[in-house]
Amino acid sequence: MPTEDGPTYVPQADDSHGRDHPHQSRLGLADLFDAIELLPVHQVEGTPTRNKSLTLLWAIGQLAAGEPRLTRWHDFRARVVPVLQRYGRPESRVRAHYPFWYLRSSRTLWEVGELEGLSSDTPRVSQLDQLNPVAGLTAQAANLLKDPLVRGRAVRVLLTRHLADLDHAALLADIGLAGYDSAAGVPTIYPQGTLADGSEGETARRAITAYRVVRDSQVAKAVKELHDHHCQVCGLRLQTSNGGYSEAAHIRGLGAPHHGPDRLTNLLCLCPNHHVLFDTFTIYIDRDGIVRGAADGSPISELRYHARHRIDPEHVSYHRQLCGQDV
């Protein structure tokens, strides 16, 4: 039977209930990221489908929300199909049983369990409906991904390697991973509100209660004054009619999921261009204080320091790891 998302595997009964089998080697961080990077995906007319990568990202979102790592087929289909319909490729048919079953091609990341009674190595939807097995992240992968920093890096690999052409902010918000696409995180949480009808010619508005991260404006002002608005990456000082202009960039973002501190040791003084590049994980600071491009590690400049501006190396390391370094 031809498949859309991977090779055929003979099902094995799973009696581990989430425990690692004795013969399995310990999964390391580099192994985890390599498995995500090299995730085998089916192609339609030379274009990779998104079913596996979207499903894997959804599963990471479930883990971040505190949901069980394994999901029963009936629930899986109901929850994953809307994601595939909205973000999958138009030319790829939405069939939830393909990622549910064929993500097993990456046994490091995914498992299917409770398969007793399955008589075929390529189960039909009717068989899955009858047996209602479970599938999800392996115990070892889930254990590593419970760490927010590891989870953030895994999300970055999935987005940049497999889902680069999607609206990342919208996708992550839909699956419970809002903020993972930015070093700044999500500073504002909007609880569900009531959509009010706008009068004719007006835009409808939603009544909400907003909880915002309160930033200390004096701390931001201090870092700008210490550097006299010179960017710590390129040295540029923007001069406006109101004086110098620069931006205070948090190294470890204040917003979720980073929850960094609003302190001088967690701030950089940057020009708008390098602030954007820093927040989008396009540049990072290496252990020697050299600013490099995340794509190829090419040196850009040496970070400018100030004697009265101490930068916490732990925050720099946190950002660097999200850029794929120091794994």
Side-chain angles (χ1 to χ4, degrees):
M1 174 179 175
T3 65
E4 179 179 333
D5 277 307
T8 297
Y9 290 94
V10 178
Q12 302 285 332
D14 181 4
D15 60 355
S16 66
H17 302 290
R19 298 187 299 271
D20 298 332
H21 290 291
H23 67 271
Q24 289 180 326
S25 59
R26 183 174 179 83
L27 181 66
L29 289 177
D31 302 320
L32 175 72
F33 298 143
D34 284 347
I36 297 173
E37 176 83 22
L38 301 174
L39 183 69
V41 296
H42 180 71
Q43 295 195 1
V44 176
E45 297 181 355
T47 302
T49 61
R50 301 181 185 137
N51 291 346
K52 280 186 176 180
S53 49
L54 286 172
T55 299
L56 191 58
L57 194 64
W58 171 84
I60 295 174
Q62 294 298 293
L63 190 70
E67 296 289 335
R69 67 180 179 86
L70 299 178
T71 305
R72 293 209 169 271
W73 160 247
H74 293 163
D75 291 336
F76 177 92
R77 179 170 56 181
R79 297 159 74 178
V80 171
V81 163
V83 177
L84 300 182
Q85 287 176 331
R86 183 168 185 180
Y87 297 102
R89 294 193 182 279
E91 65 272 15
S92 178
R93 285 181 289 176
V94 175
R95 294 184 290 185
H97 61 292
Y98 276 105
F100 181 90
W101 182 258
Y102 290 111
L103 262 170
R104 296 171 79 238
S105 60
S106 180
R107 294 184 181 273
T108 297
L109 301 172
W110 195 262
E111 65 176 273
V112 182
E114 300 185 12
L115 299 174
E116 293 83 354
L118 188 65
S119 59
S120 171
D121 58 0
T122 54
R124 297 185 300 272
V125 173
S126 59
Q127 292 177 298
L128 296 178
D129 287 342
Q130 179 181 3
L131 294 174
N132 198 25
V134 295
L137 296 165
T138 64
Q140 290 196 51
N143 187 53
L144 291 175
L145 289 165
K146 288 178 182 178
D147 184 325
L149 183 55
V150 175
R151 189 161 60 240
R153 175 58 189 153
V155 170
R156 290 293 306 154
V157 173
L158 273 169
L159 293 179
T160 56
R161 178 66 179 87
H162 303 288
L163 303 168
D165 53 346
L166 288 176
D167 182 338
H168 292 170
L171 169 60
L172 295 181
D174 275 357
I175 61 175
L177 291 170
Y180 280 86
D181 61 326
S182 168
V186 179
T188 305
I189 301 174
Y190 296 106
Q192 185 175 2
T194 302
L195 186 63
D197 294 330
S199 59
E200 186 176 355
E202 295 181 352
T203 302
R205 289 170 170 77
R206 187 181 300 274
I208 61 171
T209 300
Y211 298 91
R212 299 179 181 274
V213 174
V214 179
R215 297 184 56 164
D216 188 340
S217 61
Q218 293 304 310
V219 174
K221 181 180 178 181
V223 75
K224 297 175 185 179
E225 290 181 346
L226 281 174
H227 294 274
D228 191 27
H229 297 285
H230 287 278
C231 176
Q232 287 183 255
V233 173
C234 65
L236 176 67
R237 185 183 192 276
L238 293 177
Q239 184 64 35
T240 73
S241 58
N242 296 320
Y245 177 82
S246 60
E247 296 179 355
H250 286 87
I251 303 169
R252 179 170 181 164
L254 298 187
H258 311 302
H259 304 296
D262 196 14
R263 299 174 183 168
L264 191 61
T265 55
N266 188 36
L267 281 176
L268 295 173
C269 179
L270 299 178
C271 68
N273 285 348
H274 284 111
H275 192 176
V276 170
L277 295 178
F278 190 84
D279 276 358
T280 56
F281 307 108
T282 309
I283 60 174
Y284 70 92
I285 304 166
D286 73 10
R287 297 186 182 193
D288 298 318
I290 304 300
V291 180
R292 297 182 180 274
D296 56 7
S298 57
I300 296 173
S301 69
E302 185 174 352
L303 191 72
R304 297 162 58 93
Y305 290 96
H306 189 283
R308 290 188 288 130
H309 178 203
R310 188 184 76 84
I311 297 173
D312 192 327
E314 290 189 7
H315 301 322
V316 178
S317 176
Y318 179 91
H319 179 272
R320 186 164 56 239
Q321 291 180 66
L322 288 176
C323 291
Q325 310 301 315
D326 294 355
V327 175

